[in-house]
Amino acid sequence: MKGKVVLVWAVFMLVLGGGCADFRTVGRQELTGEQVALSAEQAALFREVAQASPMIESMDGYADVWIKTPKRKHRVFCNIRINRGREARLIVSAGLLGWPVADMFFSTDSLYVHDMLNNRLFLGSSSELNLEKIIGVSSGFRLLSESLLGLVTFTEPLRAITSVKQGSGALIFTLATPEGSKEVVIDPSSRTLSALFLRNRQGKTTTEIHFKHYQTITVDGRNAPVPKDIEMVLYNSSGADGAGEHQLVIAYDERVFNKSSGSLKFELPQKARVVNLDDAAILPWM
């Protein structure tokens, strides 16, 4: 009997510890370069990258996800489905056995989370604070969904570009925004987005996103580069998951694009206890 107890305990610890094996964190990138005048060729490159492969409308993929905050450090596995600009759904599994632990659906204004471990249904607004509660990073719907997809669009006109730097195989476009500024890092050889930095009005970086290991896919007879790895870090976050740095790393194993244009149907779980997510603390679903 004692041996069985030890075996069960060992398996339990392996399941809990599996999420921390081979843990990945965000790799930083130094922004260096010499300031140059904006050329017509550079302007055309910026417009191309800013459109972010508009022919891609949806994605269905499977990814490894690492989350690191001042209070959490987890590795989970996600089926990530996105209807671009409208909605996203994440089915999360954890541990070596890959048990499903959460089913999340969020759109531009609503958020549903089924905590499968405790059969609770959290309902709330798709706000930055609520998104931090469930995935560890406080990001708005548009930026988060586009980052998960690996295709971030830029709607700022060319007149918003305040400077261009060139160096280390990259072009760095600085754009003025109502919140401060953003720095768009483009690889001119592959014509892809390498990184995005968001800064507040005081010039401090609030968000840093990296897009790595691009793969060329064919959609509707057109080639489109899409990153396999996305790394996101938010600085000086002060939400429910602790003050400090929050990281999210996504590595896709497989993806299908434009598989379906139908709605990502979320069926309400039976007999689940309903909880107002706006009033809830951090979720213990991982």
Side-chain angles (χ1 to χ4, degrees), residues 12-50:
F12 180 69
M13 292 304 294
L14 282 173
V15 170
L16 288 181
C20 295
D22 301 322
F23 199 85
R24 288 179 53 177
T25 57
V26 174
R28 297 300 193 272
Q29 179 174 346
E30 292 288 337
L31 291 182
T32 59
E34 180 181 352
Q35 187 160 332
V36 297
L38 177 64
S39 66
E41 182 181 356
Q42 292 169 346
L45 174 61
F46 178 83
R47 289 194 189 97
E48 177 186 333
V49 173

Side-chain angles (χ1 to χ4, degrees), residues 8-108:
V8 171
W9 176 253
V11 172
F12 180 69
M13 292 304 294
L14 282 173
V15 170
L16 288 181
C20 295
D22 301 322
F23 199 85
R24 288 179 53 177
T25 57
V26 174
R28 297 300 193 272
Q29 179 174 346
E30 292 288 337
L31 291 182
T32 59
E34 180 181 352
Q35 187 160 332
V36 297
L38 177 64
S39 66
E41 182 181 356
Q42 292 169 346
L45 174 61
F46 178 83
R47 289 194 189 97
E48 177 186 333
V49 173
Q51 292 179 359
S53 302
M55 78 287 289
I56 295 179
E57 299 177 352
S58 66
M59 183 202 72
D60 189 341
Y62 188 79
D64 292 351
V65 178
W66 291 264
I67 299 172
K68 184 176 183 295
T69 75
K71 292 184 178 181
R72 287 194 281 177
K73 183 178 179 181
H74 295 284
R75 180 186 180 184
V76 296
F77 313 96
C78 285
N79 172 215
I80 301 176
R81 301 176 61 195
I82 297 173
N83 280 337
R84 193 171 186 176
R86 292 182 288 152
E87 55 192 3
R89 186 174 181 182
L90 282 67
I91 300 176
V92 184
S93 302
L96 293 179
L97 301 182
W99 287 328
V101 295
D103 187 354
M104 311 176 191
F105 174 87
F106 55 96
S107 63
T108 55

Side-chain angles (χ1 to χ4, degrees), residues 202-217:
Q202 290 71 44
K204 294 183 178 180
T205 303
T206 59
T207 304
E208 177 180 345
I209 311 174
H210 300 273
F211 305 91
K212 301 178 178 180
H213 304 128
Y214 273 83
Q215 299 173 316
T216 300
I217 64 168

